[in-house]
Amino acid sequence: MRKILVPTDFSATAANACQFAQVVAERQNAEVDIMHAYHPSFDYSNPYLDMPAAEFDSIKRELLDQFIEGNTRDSGSSVATLPKPILNIGFASEEIVRMSKGYDLIIMGTTGEGNLLEKAFGSVSTHVARFAHCPVLLVPGNCKCGNFEEVVYASNYQAADEAMVKKLLTITGPEINNIHFVHIDNETKSPYHVEQVLYEQAQLYGTAAIGFNSVEIECPNVQEGIVQYASDIRADLIVMGTMHRNFLERLFHKSVTQQVVFHTTVPLLVMHYDD
C-alpha cells in the first residue's frame, strides 16, 4: 500500500480519522494526503456567500493547513512524509470518489449513528464507501487505532472471498490473529464454509498462524447480527464487501453495508467485489 487519502470537513470526527490514518500509514510506510472539498454556493459554514472566490479559497486553505498542523502525529517523521494538503472545489462525495482512482485506501470518519436525513438519503461516507475505486475504511469518532487482531468478515458472496482476503491482508498487514467469517442467514439455510484456499492465501503473506472461524448466525436483522457479533468478540475491525450500484438500484435496494455504517462503533472496511 502506497497512498492513503483522508477527506476532512474539519470536524472532531475527521480529526480522529486523520490520526487513525497516520498510524496505519506508519505501519505500511505509506503516504497520507489530507483532502477538503467545498462548493461555495452550498457551503453553509460560509457566512458570507457573496465573498469573492479567491478570498474564500484562501480561507479554506488556511483552515486545511491548521487542521493538518493540529492533527499531525509526532512520530519522528521527516517533513517529506507528513500529510499533504489537497483543496478541491466541488461536492465532497463526488470529488472523493473521483480522486479515489489514484489511491490504495481512503480513511474517513463516520458519526456511527446518523440522523434521520442521513438514514433516508445517505451521507458522504456511505456514498464514498459504495462508489470509491479503492477500499474505504470508515472510522467512528470515538475509535483509536490499535492492532487489527480480531477481524469480522461479513459476506454472502463466497466466490469473491479469496480476492477480498488478499486485499485485506495488504491493508492490515500480518497482525491479524483471527478472521471470523460471518454469514448471516435470514432467508436460506445454505451452508457457508471457509475454503482451504483462504488459508493458503494467508500463508503467502506470512500469516500462517492466522485463525479462520466460520460462523453461521440466524438473525432477522442482518446489520444487527453483524454488529452484535463484532461486539461480542470485541472485534477490532469489520470487513464488508459491496457491489457498485447505479442510482435506481440504490434507490430500491436496502443496503446492509449502509446500515452497518450508521450503527457500528468498530472501524468498518468496505471493499468492492467489482473493482
Side-chain angles (χ1 to χ4, degrees):
M1 185 166 62
R2 297 177 296 105
K3 297 182 68 177
I4 299 173
L5 179 66
V6 182
T8 180
D9 58 0
F10 308 130
S11 66
T13 300
N16 183 64
C18 180
Q19 296 274 345
F20 198 105
Q22 290 173 75
V23 175
V24 174
E26 288 168 11
R27 294 174 182 169
Q28 301 286 359
N29 195 27
E31 299 177 3
V32 176
D33 292 345
I34 312 294
M35 172 225 181
H36 176 69
Y38 72 96
H39 196 296
S41 300
F42 294 89
D43 193 324
Y44 299 107
S45 66
N46 172 25
Y48 309 105
L49 293 179
D50 58 346
M51 178 182 291
E55 187 174 348
F56 191 37
D57 182 84
S58 177
I59 291 174
K60 287 291 187 179
R61 290 186 184 279
E62 183 176 353
L63 287 172
L64 182 56
D65 289 341
Q66 290 175 354
F67 178 86
I68 293 175
E69 182 179 355
N71 293 287
T72 297
R73 283 171 47 83
D74 183 9
S75 60
S77 301
S78 65
V79 175
T81 62
L82 297 180
K84 183 179 73 175
I86 298 176
L87 186 65
N88 287 0
I89 297 178
F91 292 107
S93 56
E94 296 175 2
E95 285 299 301
I96 298 168
V97 170
R98 181 182 65 81
M99 291 192 64
S100 67
K101 294 180 180 180
Y103 291 85
D104 302 297
L105 177 66
I106 293 173
I107 299 180
M108 62 189 301
T110 179
T111 54
E113 182 66 36
N115 61 32
L116 182 61
L117 286 177
E118 283 183 323
K119 289 181 179 179
F121 301 108
S123 66
V124 171
S125 59
T126 56
H127 180 91
V128 172
R130 298 191 57 183
F131 293 102
H133 301 279
C134 66
V136 179
L137 180 57
L138 299 172
V139 183
N142 60 347
C143 284
K144 303 302 178 185
C145 190
N147 291 332
F148 298 127
E149 296 179 353
E150 299 295 326
V151 175
V152 171
Y153 180 101
S155 172
N156 63 355
Y157 192 23
Q158 189 172 355
D161 285 346
E162 179 184 355
M164 293 297 99
V165 169
K166 182 178 180 180
K167 277 188 179 182
L168 171 63
L169 294 174
T170 63
I171 293 170
T172 63
E175 64 194 51
I176 296 177
N177 288 337
N178 295 290
I179 298 179
H180 304 258
F181 289 85
V182 178
H183 186 220
I184 309 294
D185 188 358
N186 65 339
E187 293 181 355
T188 69
K189 299 299 180 183
S190 58
Y192 182 78
H193 301 291
V194 179
E195 301 291 343
Q196 176 65 23
V197 70
L198 299 178
Y199 177 77
E200 294 171 355
Q201 191 68 62
Q203 289 181 313
L204 294 176
Y205 282 84
T207 54
I210 193 170
F212 290 97
N213 304 313
S214 183
V215 181
E216 288 276 353
I217 298 176
E218 293 185 14
C219 182
N221 187 304
V222 176
Q223 64 88 5
E224 285 184 4
I226 296 169
V227 172
Q228 185 59 54
Y229 182 79
S231 175
D232 290 345
I233 67 164
R234 298 185 178 182
D236 304 299
L237 181 68
I238 298 174
V239 181
M240 295 189 72
T242 185
M243 298 290 290
H244 291 114
R245 303 182 189 278
N246 63 33
F247 177 75
L248 289 178
E249 287 176 319
R250 285 189 293 117
L251 189 62
F252 295 106
H253 181 83
K254 189 174 183 180
S255 169
V256 173
T257 304
Q258 179 165 319
Q259 293 178 64
V260 174
V261 169
F262 286 132
H263 291 85
T264 182
T265 57
V266 177
L268 171 65
L269 177 64
V270 179
M271 300 188 292
H272 307 102
Y273 293 127
D274 46 349
D275 271 347

